[in-house]
Amino acid sequence: MTTLAHISDVHLAPLPRVHPRDLLSKRITGFVNWQLSRTRKMRSDSMLALIEHMKAQEPDQIAVTGDLVNLALDEEIERADAWLATLGPPDKVCVVPGNHDAYVRGALGRALRTYGPYMSGETLDEHPFPYVRRLGEVAIIGCSSAIVTPPFFAAGQVSNAQLGRLGRILDVLGEAGYFRIVLIHHPPCPEFAQSRRLGLWKAETFRQAVAQSGAEMILHGHTHESSISSIPGKGAEVPVIGVAAASAAPGGHDSPGRYNLFRIEKLGTDWSCTMREFGYQRVGDDIALRLQLRIY
C-alpha cells in the first residue's frame, strides 16, 4: 500500500519586510491584497497544527501543489526552502509550482535553484517538468502550470512542449501498469479552467492529452476550496481532486485549512484508492475527519 498526503496553497505568512523597490512590479497589487484581505485569512499557527496532524499519519509521500509564497520575494523563497525541510527530505516531499511561485519574471527560476530537489524526479530530457516519482506501483507526475501573468491575473498554462512530454510519460507508465497521479496547480476542469483571469489557459489541450494517454487521478490546488470533479481519460473518467488552502484560518470566507490522505493499493488486477479529508471546520480549532470516500 502507498499512502500519499496532498496539501496546497501554503502562502507562507507573515510577509517579510517589503522594500519600496520590491513593489515596482505586479507585486504592488499582491501586497495591497495581502494587507487588505489575506493577512486576516492566513494563519501560520493553524497551518502548523494541520501539518503536524498530517505528518502523524506517516505518509509515504507528501505532495504540495503550489503557491508556497505570496509575492515571490527572495526572502520568501528562502523561507519556503526552510519550510519544506520541516515537512521532510526531498525524496519524501514533491512540489509543483503555482502562480504565486512565478509571480514575477525570474521567480520560478530562483525557486528551482533554491529548492529544486523538491521539484525533481525522473525526466525525459533536460526540462524539469513533467518529472516522475515512482513509489512501488504508484507514479506521481509533477507538471508546472506556473507562468508570469499581468496584474490582476492568476491564470496558468501548460506549454505544448510540456504536454507532449506529459503524453509520452503517461503512455509509458500506463503500459507498465502504474497508478498515475498528475500534480498541477491550476484545475483543468472546464468549470474552473474557463476563467480568463484565474483559470488554466488552453486547458482543452491538457484535457486532450489526458484523454489520449489516460491517468488514474489528478490533484490540484489554486481554488482554495475542496472539490471533486472529473475529466475524460482513456476509456474511463479521471477523478480531479482539489484541496482547500493549507493556511486558510477557521472562520474566514474560504474553506479552512485541510489536507487529503490517499491510500492506494492493487488488489488482483484492480486498483483500490480511498481518500480521507482532514481539516478544520468553519468554526473552532479542532482538526477532524471531514470526509471519507472510495475513489477506486
Side-chain angles (χ1 to χ4, degrees):
M1 178 184 292
T2 299
T3 306
L4 172 68
H6 174 216
I7 60 171
S8 194
D9 297 87
V10 175
H11 293 289
L12 288 168
L15 279 181
R17 181 181 178 186
V18 180
H19 299 278
R21 65 178 180 273
D22 294 324
L23 302 180
L24 299 177
S25 66
K26 176 183 175 177
R27 287 187 177 124
I28 182 65
T29 60
F31 179 74
V32 171
N33 182 48
W34 178 269
Q35 295 296 332
L36 294 178
S37 177
R38 286 196 169 174
T39 189
R40 299 188 303 274
K41 294 180 180 179
M42 304 298 179
R43 268 177 42 190
S44 56
D45 61 330
S46 60
M47 185 177 72
L48 178 62
L50 185 75
I51 295 301
E52 290 304 311
H53 191 281
M54 178 184 70
K55 289 169 62 178
Q57 307 279 358
E58 298 184 344
D60 297 307
Q61 189 87 177
I62 298 172
V64 187
T65 50
D67 279 4
L68 276 69
V69 300
N70 300 288
L71 306 182
L73 300 164
D74 287 349
E75 187 174 338
E76 284 189 288
I77 293 171
E78 295 292 337
R79 286 185 182 182
D81 182 41
W83 179 79
L84 286 169
T86 69
L87 280 191
D91 64 323
K92 296 291 186 181
V93 181
C94 56
V95 177
V96 295
N99 52 288
H100 280 266
D101 305 310
Y103 208 65
V104 295
R105 193 173 302 278
L108 182 55
R110 288 194 296 275
L112 282 165
R113 290 190 295 274
T114 304
Y115 52 86
Y118 288 95
M119 293 191 283
S120 67
E122 299 174 276
T123 59
L124 289 178
D125 51 31
E126 71 279 4
H127 294 93
F129 301 104
Y131 67 81
V132 178
R133 299 274 183 100
R134 290 188 286 176
L135 309 170
E137 295 181 293
V138 174
I140 300 170
I141 304 106
C143 293
S144 175
S145 60
I147 59 171
V148 180
T149 58
F152 306 107
F153 279 72
Q157 185 173 333
V158 182
S159 69
N160 289 335
Q162 188 182 165
L163 285 174
R165 296 191 296 272
L166 174 62
R168 290 164 58 193
I169 287 171
L170 290 173
D171 285 338
V172 169
L173 293 172
E175 291 170 3
Y178 282 91
F179 188 96
R180 298 159 295 176
I181 303 172
V182 178
L183 308 181
I184 187 171
H185 180 68
H186 293 80
C189 305
E191 59 265 36
F192 298 121
Q194 63 188 358
S195 168
R196 180 65 183 166
R197 192 173 69 87
L198 303 175
L200 181 63
W201 292 345
K202 298 184 178 180
E204 66 278 3
T205 58
F206 181 92
R207 295 194 296 268
Q208 288 167 6
V210 173
Q212 182 174 340
S213 299
E216 278 61 58
M217 192 159 61
I218 297 171
L219 305 181
H220 69 85
H222 188 55
T223 64
H224 291 203
E225 296 287 343
S226 298
S227 61
I228 300 174
S229 188
S230 67
I231 61 174
K234 189 176 182 180
E237 291 287 300
V238 179
V240 179
I241 301 173
V243 67
S247 59
H253 296 295
D254 294 331
S255 298
R258 293 164 189 166
Y259 71 88
N260 290 334
L261 189 71
F262 299 91
R263 298 188 184 277
I264 306 157
E265 63 179 329
K266 200 162 194 177
L267 302 176
T269 58
D270 297 323
W271 287 107
S272 170
C273 175
T274 59
M275 184 192 94
R276 291 186 291 166
E277 181 191 62
F278 294 92
Y280 296 101
Q281 309 289 8
R282 291 194 177 273
V283 178
D285 289 323
D286 292 330
I287 298 171
L289 173 63
R290 302 190 68 261
L291 175 69
Q292 181 168 321
L293 65 96
R294 180 173 294 277
I295 307 297
Y296 286 92

